[in-house]
Amino acid sequence: MEDIGEVLARCQQEMTAPGAPFELDDERLAGRTVKVYRNAPRTLPEFLDAGRAHGEREFMVYEGDRWSFTRFYAAADAFAAVLAGRFGVRAGTRVAIAMRNRPEWAVAFVAAASLGAVPAPVNSFGMREELLDALAQIEPRVLVCDLDRFNRIDGGPGVSGCEIVLADAEPMPDGGVHSMSALLAAASSEPAPPRGPGAGLGVGPDDPALLLFTSGATSRAKAVLSTQRAVCQALFNLDYIGAVAAKSSPALIGAMIERGFAPTTLMAVPLFHVSGLHAQLLASLRHGRRLVLMHRWDPARALELIRQERVTQFNGAPSMLTQLLEAPGIADPEVLRSLSGFGAGGAGLPQRTIDRLVAFTDRIAGVGFGMTETNGVGAGISGEAFRLNPRCSGVVSPIIEVRVVGAQGETCAMLERGEIWLRGVTLMSEYLRDPRATAEALTPEGWLRTGDVGYVDEEGQLYIVDRIKDVINRNGEKIAAAEVESCLMQHPEVREAAVFGVPDEQAGEAVAAVVVTREGSALGIEEIVAHVRAHLAAYKTPSHVYLRSEALPRNPAGKLLKGELKESYRAG
């Protein structure tokens, strides 16, 4: 009898063979040969056009407002006509999007992408400085935002020639800001833009497709630029992962089908993340799945929506999944009547969450590992394979190479721990306008240094065990410690500051700050927290603040001994 490793290997071999749906091919990119899915769409306009076939089927539900695929595409086409006719958006033009999850976010994205333009989703949790910095990097022709984000930037994007479109408000009295609803109402006067394969957009696989922001380990969020080919290969890889799960877990798939509910995902992760954009919005659009959008995460509200909307799938950050599984009412028969699958990405799952997932013997659960810089592609595991090996981060994708690298740059032996490097067709082109950061992340041979420590076993399963980068993972949001430290140091009474993550049962990790104030200062913890909250997104605000009078520990070269500091305050 085959073990699960043999089953997975056989599934991959069968599904990627010549003539199979996920047939692999070789392409030359940047002087190297990479594996690609032969049948994947070549560009985002081609990918998006396939969703039109779903017609009057329900696509999105938001705060009681229901959108069919027909309604959605009508809005996206109308807004594309406005972008092209009124604002001159063309292939390669950048269009920024800054708002909470809502249907208009998706309309703006699809409208821009269908023109061959470059959508640039911005972190909607950002405060004024963060939003303006992101817009300065992007230099968009159009910013589509909600009223909250508009007010945060004081009504001006700080970018010459950038038009602002409000998704949820009327035009401003001075006429300098547009209303999406008003633009859509008048869209019939704009010529319809070309669409579909061969529409003459002038967009090819090597052209830019997407800008997403990632904080990484630096004090400034970086804009990750990806090509049309990279994004489309990543999206097709999601189909491959689903096909492997179905083929290797027939009993679980059979139980899901027997429940008889239309595939419906509860969407709580932000759309500006690859996990929300790729794995939920775009995958659902192409394959005709329903999306139920949450305005903000709340486990009690999530359970209510699962019951009301007959949700079949929940994917979220590990902390979200933990909170959902521990919420009162998760075992309600009306919740479990439809809920068939759970998924998590990013950091590893706590053991108690794994135990709860495995206890659902007739539900599909899975995890994945990827990065913004890889368009989410890396490794994935679900279904029976996850149940048998829930501590691993997934089986390596057939279009990605993995190298485990030691401290001296040597390739580690199997099962030996080192930094995970990734290479393949889905990798970013660059960090926009940041050649130094790009060179630090990408080797001349095309490897991406992930900053994560792990190993690969003999069956090609990847294990992530630690992080090199000084990044805090709070509720799935990556927080650069250097960014919070920089903010703290802007306070005139702060002399030194060190920020790091500490374990937190609810959020996975919480932000801790050690602050050295100037001599004679009366600065208190509440004032420090208020200072950070006034300048950075709320989720970056420290949950734990420790005041000290003595200097922070440093080595003879002046480097901060953060490890020593962490141990001291975790113990205390």
Side-chain angles (χ1 to χ4, degrees):
M1 182 178 178
E2 290 181 304
D3 64 22
I4 192 63
E6 293 172 333
V7 170
L8 293 174
R10 178 171 52 79
C11 287
Q12 175 168 322
Q13 184 178 17
E14 292 176 355
M15 291 192 299
T16 60
F22 299 95
E23 177 181 353
L24 293 176
D25 206 349
D26 291 333
E27 284 195 17
R28 295 288 292 175
L29 292 178
R32 289 182 297 276
T33 299
V34 297
K35 292 292 183 185
V36 300
Y37 292 118
R38 185 171 189 174
N39 299 319
R42 304 285 283 177
T43 65
L44 265 179
E46 177 187 344
F47 177 94
L48 295 170
D49 209 44
R52 298 176 184 275
H54 306 303
E56 291 301 324
R57 187 184 303 177
E58 191 165 86
F59 174 37
M60 287 188 296
V61 180
Y62 176 71
E63 302 289 305
D65 189 16
R66 298 182 181 275
W67 290 60
S68 67
F69 284 88
T70 298
R71 177 188 174 188
F72 175 80
Y73 274 104
D77 288 345
F79 195 55
V82 170
L83 290 176
R86 181 171 296 207
F87 302 132
V89 172
R90 299 289 185 270
T93 305
R94 293 169 192 152
V95 177
I97 304 171
M99 66 181 95
R100 285 274 195 172
N101 286 6
R102 55 185 302 132
E104 291 84 357
W105 197 110
V107 167
F109 183 94
V110 171
S114 67
L115 295 170
V118 183
V122 173
N123 184 341
S124 63
F125 296 144
M127 300 304 287
R128 182 177 184 276
E129 292 95 331
E130 297 163 292
L131 292 171
L132 291 177
D133 181 68
L135 294 172
Q137 290 187 61
I138 298 168
E139 293 187 341
R141 176 70 183 90
V142 179
L143 165 63
V144 187
C145 64
D146 56 18
L147 187 59
D148 190 0
R149 259 41 60 174
F150 177 79
N151 290 332
R152 290 186 194 186
I153 60 174
D154 297 330
V159 177
S160 177
C162 178
E163 302 278 356
I164 296 179
V165 177
L166 290 176
D168 61 344
E170 294 306 309
M172 297 293 108
D174 61 6
V177 178
H178 311 274
S179 159
M180 179 181 276
S181 60
L183 290 173
L184 292 178
S188 58
S189 62
E190 303 290 347
R195 65 173 180 83
L201 294 172
V203 180
D206 295 314
D207 290 322
L210 178 64
L211 279 166
L212 288 176
F213 280 88
T214 180
S215 61
T218 65
S219 59
R220 187 189 192 207
K222 299 186 291 294
V224 175
L225 180 65
S226 294
T227 65
Q228 300 279 341
R229 179 190 287 106
V231 175
C232 288
Q233 287 285 322
L235 292 168
F236 204 69
N237 189 68
L238 292 169
D239 294 352
Y240 168 80
I241 293 172
V244 169
K247 196 172 181 66
S248 61
S249 308
L252 293 174
I253 296 296
M256 180 181 69
I257 293 173
E258 190 174 334
R259 292 185 189 98
F261 295 100
T264 301
T265 298
L266 179 64
M267 185 170 190
V269 295
L271 278 162
F272 60 78
H273 276 322
V274 67
S275 56
L277 176 61
H278 291 46
Q280 299 190 44
L281 174 62
L282 296 180
S284 297
L285 188 66
R286 180 172 171 84
H287 295 292
R289 301 172 188 146
R290 290 174 74 231
L291 278 176
V292 178
L293 277 60
M294 294 190 72
H295 179 66
R296 60 171 53 88
W297 171 243
D298 176 74
R301 175 61 176 158
L303 289 174
E304 182 181 346
L305 286 171
I306 290 170
R307 284 190 293 264
Q308 290 176 353
E309 298 294 338
R310 296 306 183 197
V311 168
T312 62
Q313 181 72 29
F314 176 79
N315 299 326
S319 57
M320 289 180 175
L321 185 55
T322 297
Q323 292 168 27
L324 182 71
L325 293 173
E326 294 181 355
I330 184 62
D332 184 342
E334 286 302 303
V335 169
L336 297 180
R337 184 179 172 193
S338 62
L339 190 57
S340 300
F342 305 91
L349 295 171
Q351 185 59 51
R352 72 173 191 266
T353 303
I354 290 174
D355 293 342
R356 287 177 180 268
L357 284 176
V358 173
F360 287 107
T361 56
D362 59 347
R363 263 70 178 176
I364 295 177
V367 296
F369 168 75
M371 304 174 67
T372 306
E373 291 88 340
T374 69
N375 280 284
V377 179
I381 190 168
S382 63
E384 193 62 30
F386 171 80
R387 189 178 306 283
L388 295 174
N389 191 10
R391 298 306 306 175
C392 95
S393 300
V395 179
V396 176
S397 164
I399 57 171
I400 282 284
E401 297 176 77
V402 173
R403 183 184 173 199
V404 184
V405 181
Q408 306 305 316
E410 76 282 8
T411 298
C412 296
M414 187 178 295
L415 303 180
E416 184 180 351
R417 296 184 179 190
E419 184 181 10
I420 302 297
W421 289 12
L422 301 176
R423 184 169 69 178
V425 65
T426 66
L427 262 61
M428 68 173 184
S429 302
E430 63 177 349
Y431 291 123
L432 186 69
R433 299 196 177 109
D434 199 339
R436 180 177 178 179
T438 301
E440 290 174 352
L442 294 174
T443 73
E445 298 77 27
W447 291 99
L448 173 72
R449 302 178 178 98
T450 69
D452 292 294
V453 176
Y455 63 93
V456 178
D457 68 14
E458 49 279 322
E459 294 180 335
Q461 296 183 122
L462 178 66
Y463 297 76
I464 303 297
V465 297
D466 204 350
R467 288 197 300 274
I468 295 174
K469 297 177 181 178
D470 199 3
V471 174
I472 302 158
N473 191 336
R474 183 179 189 178
N475 275 329
E477 297 293 336
K478 303 298 194 304
I479 303 166
E483 182 182 25
V484 185
E485 290 169 350
S486 176
C487 179
L488 288 166
M489 292 298 292
Q490 291 174 15
H491 196 289
E493 294 185 47
V494 172
R495 183 156 56 93
E496 289 186 290
V499 172
F500 47 87
V502 295
D504 184 273
E505 285 194 0
Q506 292 298 314
E509 282 188 310
V511 181
V514 180
V515 177
V516 180
T517 58
R518 300 192 181 280
E519 187 174 354
S521 171
L523 187 65
I525 291 175
E526 289 86 1
E527 293 165 277
I528 292 171
V529 170
H531 170 75
V532 176
R533 190 177 292 276
H535 294 277
L536 299 179
Y539 70 86
K540 300 177 183 179
T541 304
S543 301
H544 309 278
V545 177
Y546 306 99
L547 296 174
R548 59 187 276 161
S549 55
E550 66 272 27
L552 298 178
R554 299 180 184 274
N555 67 12
K559 183 178 179 181
L560 179 65
L561 301 175
K562 189 172 283 189
E564 177 182 315
L565 204 60
K566 287 182 182 180
E567 290 302 316
S568 173
Y569 282 93
R570 281 176 176 170

